[in-house]
Amino acid sequence: MAHSVFHRELGYINLSELDLTVPEDVRVWRSLYGKTAKGELECVECREADPGCPQYMFLRLWKGRPVAVHYSQGRRHATAPESPRHKALKERIATAAERAGFTADLEARGPDGRRRTDVLVHGEGGIELGCEVQLSYTTSHSVTKRTDIARADGLRPLWTTDDPSSPLIERTPWARIDRMPLEAFSSGNALLVRGGVKKLRLARCDSRSPVPCPDRGHGRCNHWHGTWTPALGMHLDRLIGATAAGEYVPLYLPVQPGRRTRAAHMWVSGEDHDRYLEATTDELAEPAPGHVDDNDPAEPERLPFNRSCSYQARLGQDRRGQVVRDTDALMPAGITLTDPRAGLRPPRQRTPRPVSAADASAEAAGSISLIPLQPGPQDRNGARPVSVPADPPNCPSGLVGPCAVCRIPTHRYGIGGNPLCPQCRRDRRPSA
């Protein structure tokens, strides 16, 4: 990064003198930021003394101050063409959505042409999941703008990155996976979600707690305090199906003076979402359009014009970012309960799916344990619901989970698992 840059039309510019709180300087910055083509901005030292160094630069905001950054392989510019890894991960997300029983569109454009979503998943109950893959560098303002456009079109954004220093972390609903080669995306390897998905954990504040009461700052109150902890064992394929089915929902926590210095976006289960809203006194809402919580304009440094280039000094360093935003740290939820089971909303009720005649005949053919269902209306084949197998045949009990729609046990996890049971997948398929 550098604060001195050469513009082919304007000449030498000292970016450290720009004060983004002054309207005149803001107009100058907006005339340059995002509107300069590759080749219009050059590094001062490189163009004069070292033509072999990549001399072209682009502009970005760094901690609220305008700076110039070299084009390089370590930090690919956001306007560069899609990489093979980007395309492979898009196809992986679309395949995961289709295996979960939903439909997905690649490169879906908005009605007004302002938006082009990497993967648009048509989910349960009208949920439109806008999946964005961001493996290259992007700015916080670009993330905020694209997220605002997606929300205005009725989408529920889900950004996927592999960089723990990416500016999109905590600025939009996100999920972080490990940096993996192209073959891992296309071979079906499990992509563990390392960040962006949280679980609400309630711990009693008693003598066994190693820390003082977070409310009083000393002693123990003998009540229950909530903490947001990383959800372990979540895979990206499963997250796509769970968010499209409404099983996991986004939660935005704004800045709270004295408690949270930075806003937070996360994916949480529907039960944890309802439990938190019932217990908290905070007023939660979606972030205001265009608002970036921790990137307000900073005071200009007003440094002297500098002709030296720091690119060569940083060649041996990691150029993907220096500030790690995804720290996996526990986040206090700011809720205190006297009884973790009192005063909470009842669990969401789901209507059980009637069992068809084919299911009844399959049940009669095998000797498996049964869970009786309450009598319900007839299905389209005229069959009454009779019973549902407790464990799907030929499936280990550790891979069994509830169907995302009818909640009956099905082969949900592991290889070949699906959030929907076979009958719900058949019901989703359009009739010929």
Side-chain angles (χ1 to χ4, degrees):
M1 295 182 295
H3 65 273
S4 303
V5 68
F6 178 81
H7 192 280
R8 290 197 171 182
E9 295 183 1
L10 303 180
Y12 294 98
I13 302 175
N14 188 348
L15 298 174
S16 68
E17 296 180 350
L18 293 180
D19 188 349
L20 299 187
T21 62
V22 178
E24 292 77 8
D25 290 353
V26 171
R27 284 195 291 269
V28 174
W29 172 250
R30 290 179 177 175
S31 66
L32 299 174
Y33 182 61
K35 299 180 181 178
T36 54
K38 185 174 183 179
E40 294 185 8
L41 293 175
E42 300 181 30
C43 173
V44 177
E45 181 182 2
C46 294
R47 71 182 300 269
E48 296 177 353
D50 190 5
C53 177
Q55 63 187 51
Y56 296 139
M57 309 186 83
F58 63 93
L59 299 179
R60 61 168 293 203
L61 280 175
W62 174 255
K63 296 183 178 180
R65 296 185 177 94
V67 294
V69 183
H70 276 273
Y71 282 88
S72 67
Q73 294 181 353
R75 175 163 284 174
R76 192 171 63 89
H77 193 243
T79 58
E82 288 185 351
S83 65
R85 294 175 66 247
H86 185 106
K87 296 179 181 179
L89 188 54
K90 284 198 313 182
E91 296 174 355
R92 174 69 175 266
I93 291 176
T95 301
E98 292 173 351
R99 287 180 177 175
F102 306 107
T103 58
D105 301 326
L106 295 176
E107 299 296 330
R109 291 188 175 272
D112 54 2
R114 296 192 305 159
R115 170 184 57 80
R116 187 177 66 180
T117 305
D118 286 340
V119 184
L120 179 60
V121 180
H122 305 282
E124 177 74 20
I127 295 176
E128 298 288 329
L129 189 66
C131 301
E132 298 285 358
V133 175
Q134 195 65 45
L135 304 181
S136 62
Y137 176 78
T138 186
T139 64
S140 57
H141 288 275
S142 175
V143 172
T144 302
K145 180 180 178 181
R146 292 169 61 184
T147 301
D148 292 341
I149 294 175
R151 286 199 177 100
D153 288 346
L155 305 188
R156 183 175 290 182
L158 193 164
W159 290 66
T160 302
T161 182
D162 61 355
D163 183 6
S165 304
S166 176
L168 68 86
I169 292 176
E170 305 293 12
R171 290 193 171 106
T172 186
W174 60 286
R176 182 179 68 85
I177 60 177
D178 293 325
R179 279 189 58 81
M180 304 182 74
L182 171 65
E183 294 76 12
F185 295 154
S186 56
S187 64
N189 290 12
L191 304 179
L192 280 174
V193 176
R194 300 298 187 179
V197 184
K198 300 285 188 180
K199 179 178 179 60
L200 182 61
R201 177 178 176 269
L202 294 174
R204 190 162 190 171
C205 182
D206 55 16
S207 59
R208 294 172 293 181
S209 177
V211 296
C213 174
D215 293 340
R216 301 186 302 180
H218 61 86
R220 309 295 188 270
C221 66
N222 212 34
H223 292 167
W224 296 77
H225 301 296
T227 304
W228 292 110
T229 63
L232 304 179
M234 175 64 72
H235 292 209
L236 183 62
D237 292 2
R238 180 189 170 198
L239 180 63
I240 296 300
T243 52
E247 186 176 348
Y248 274 74
V249 296
L251 178 63
Y252 170 70
L253 303 179
V255 173
Q256 290 289 334
R259 197 173 72 195
R260 281 193 303 270
T261 59
R262 190 172 74 182
H265 286 267
M266 63 185 74
W267 291 96
V268 300
S269 66
E271 290 75 13
D272 285 347
H273 182 271
D274 293 345
R275 169 172 289 195
Y276 179 74
L277 293 185
E278 186 71 22
T280 186
T281 57
D282 297 343
E283 294 183 1
L284 304 181
E286 293 293 338
H291 179 68
V292 180
D293 293 285
D294 58 344
N295 201 23
D296 294 331
E299 291 291 332
E301 296 179 293
R302 303 192 187 282
L303 301 173
F305 192 87
N306 187 4
R307 293 179 177 271
S308 63
C309 173
S310 60
Y311 177 81
Q312 294 289 350
R314 297 195 311 271
L315 282 181
Q317 302 176 6
D318 181 13
R319 300 186 295 272
R320 289 186 59 83
Q322 302 298 327
V323 180
V324 177
R325 294 181 58 85
D326 182 14
T327 60
D328 292 334
L330 303 183
M331 181 185 301
I335 60 175
T336 301
L337 302 176
T338 56
D339 186 351
R341 297 168 296 179
L344 300 178
R345 299 175 183 173
R348 297 183 177 185
Q349 299 295 329
R350 296 183 181 270
T351 304
R353 175 183 57 81
V355 179
S356 63
D359 294 330
S361 60
E363 173 196 341
S367 57
I368 52 180
S369 58
L370 303 177
I371 299 178
L373 293 179
Q374 298 296 328
Q378 293 183 350
D379 64 6
R380 59 188 178 189
N381 295 325
R384 290 280 186 181
V386 289
S387 56
V388 177
D391 290 326
N394 302 325
C395 176
S397 59
L399 303 182
V400 176
C403 172
V405 176
C406 65
R407 313 304 291 177
I408 69 170
T410 184
H411 181 188
R412 176 156 186 163
Y413 310 115
I415 300 177
N418 197 299
L420 301 181
C421 67
Q423 180 61 31
C424 288
R425 292 201 299 272
R426 286 194 294 268
D427 293 342
R428 280 181 184 276
R429 295 171 184 165
S431 57

